[in-house]
């Protein structure tokens, strides 16, 4: 979101994260926001609202499951189950005229091509700066500074950073054996030969965010999003 804010002209933005189901402030004409947890819950609202445009970011799941957060630097923040659920939600919308999939790996290796692809799909955007110049001249939002430590340049070396966390990869592959085939399906590996690097690796264990939420909690979350979606569509004057 910081990259988009620094590179295109928007009327306003969320300070850090704001759900699609929260209406933008009054008077905004081109509002920028993000909220990753929305990914698996907003298809219905998106399909009914012709004024909503989305960019879905995909990244090698091995990089995702080895990511850490400034608020909890001692733990890994996401597991493969979460990545798989989000990837399925993104695939369901892929090809829609108001939806664009961007791969993190493409962004950091060829930012010019990715920016042009965004401009082609979202023709109303007005360029202010080049992706390749980021973060020159960008003042990060307070939320980005707090959670991410500020903005960072587009660094292709981060693509293979997961190789420094093989115990974590070993744990996730043991828990989700389909990760190997899904990597091939999404074009991140030609086959499962890469798993040989995990031979003899002792798995890393943690309890933080590893277990699937209890069934009651999942029902409660689904119901809450359903009600929020109805309220959002009603406020937008759109059919539910």
């Amino acid at each position: 979101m910081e990259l988009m804010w620094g590179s295109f002209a928007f009327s306003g933005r969320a300070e850090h994260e704001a759900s699609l189901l929260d209406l933008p402030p009054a008077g905004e004409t081109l509002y920028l926001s993000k909220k990753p947890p929305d990914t698996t819950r907003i298809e219905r609202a998106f399909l009914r609202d012709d004024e909503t445009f989305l960019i879905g970011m995909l990244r090698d799941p091995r990089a995702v499951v080895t990511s850490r957060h400034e608020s909890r630097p001692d733990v890994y923040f996401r597991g493969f189950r979460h990545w798989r659920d989000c990837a399925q939600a993104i695939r369901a919308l892929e090809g829609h005229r108001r939806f664009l999939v961007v791969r993190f790996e493409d962004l950091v290796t060829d930012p010019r091509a990715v920016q042009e692809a965004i401009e082609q799909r979202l023709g109303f955007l007005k360029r202010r700066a080049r992706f390749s110049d980021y973060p020159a001249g960008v003042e990060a939002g307070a939320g980005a500074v707090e959670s991410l430590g500020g903005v960072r340049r587009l660094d292709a070396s981060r693509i293979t950073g997961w190789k420094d966390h093989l115990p974590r990869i070993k744990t996730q592959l043991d828990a989700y054996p389909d990760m190997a085939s899904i990597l091939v399906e999404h074009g991140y590996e030609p086959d499962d030969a890469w798993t040989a690097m995990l031979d003899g690796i002792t798995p890393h264990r943690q309890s933080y965010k590893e277990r699937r939420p209890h069934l009651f909690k999942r029902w409660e979350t689904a119901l809450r999003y359903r009600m929020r979606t109805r309220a959002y569509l009603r406020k937008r004057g759109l059919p539910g």
Side-chain angles (χ1 to χ4, degrees):
M1 186 172 74
E2 300 296 331
L3 177 62
M4 291 290 290
W5 176 253
S7 303
F8 295 109
F10 292 91
S11 65
R13 60 168 288 179
E15 178 57 37
H16 181 46
E17 292 190 356
S19 174
L20 171 67
L21 302 177
D22 295 330
L23 294 180
E28 297 290 358
T29 56
L30 187 59
Y31 192 72
L32 176 67
S33 68
K34 71 156 189 175
K35 192 169 182 65
D38 274 358
T39 304
T40 59
R41 304 285 182 178
I42 56 175
E43 179 178 1
R44 182 181 174 192
F46 168 72
L47 292 177
R48 285 165 171 74
D49 189 350
D50 287 340
E51 294 185 354
T52 294
F53 298 81
L54 298 179
I55 296 175
M57 175 72 78
L58 272 181
R59 189 178 184 183
D60 187 327
R62 293 168 296 190
V64 174
V65 303
T66 55
S67 65
R68 299 180 188 267
H69 196 281
E70 288 290 326
S71 65
R72 293 289 302 273
D74 57 325
V75 297
Y76 294 106
F77 212 65
R78 293 295 183 194
F80 180 71
R81 174 178 54 80
H82 174 82
W83 182 94
R84 185 177 57 194
D85 290 347
C86 289
Q88 290 173 348
I90 288 173
R91 174 161 287 184
L93 295 176
E94 194 168 3
H96 192 284
R97 64 180 179 83
R98 290 185 283 107
F99 184 81
L100 178 66
V101 179
V102 170
R103 285 180 177 257
F104 173 85
E105 295 79 14
D106 295 337
L107 178 61
V108 297
T109 56
D110 196 351
R112 178 191 60 78
V114 170
Q115 187 170 20
E116 289 176 355
I118 292 173
E119 290 170 332
Q120 183 176 4
R121 180 62 59 90
L122 310 181
F124 50 82
L125 292 176
K126 304 300 181 184
R127 184 187 292 202
R128 297 198 307 174
R130 297 180 300 184
F131 278 8
S132 56
D133 292 335
Y134 182 82
V138 172
E139 183 176 349
V145 173
E146 180 179 354
S147 65
L148 304 175
V151 295
R152 293 171 289 188
R153 66 185 180 88
L154 301 176
D155 182 5
S157 69
R158 296 175 62 197
I159 293 176
T160 57
W162 59 268
K163 293 182 179 180
D164 296 330
H165 303 267
L166 294 185
R168 169 64 170 175
I169 300 296
K170 173 70 170 177
T171 300
Q172 291 294 290
L173 185 61
D174 288 347
Y176 305 98
D178 60 330
M179 184 167 76
S181 61
I182 288 177
L183 282 166
V184 175
E185 178 185 348
H186 283 270
Y188 290 111
E189 291 288 348
D191 51 44
D192 64 358
W194 69 274
T195 61
M197 70 177 66
L198 303 177
D199 293 345
I201 296 293
T202 301
H204 167 275
R205 305 293 181 186
Q206 71 174 40
S207 59
Y208 181 72
K209 290 192 175 183
E210 289 299 303
R211 293 184 178 181
R212 185 176 179 83
H214 188 275
L215 179 61
F216 179 79
K217 176 63 176 178
R218 300 202 302 271
W219 283 350
E220 185 274 333
T221 301
L223 178 60
R224 176 162 45 86
Y225 265 93
R226 184 177 302 175
M227 295 177 66
R228 290 186 64 197
T229 298
R230 288 179 177 175
Y232 171 83
L233 294 173
R234 184 173 62 251
K235 292 175 183 177
R236 297 279 290 122
L238 299 169

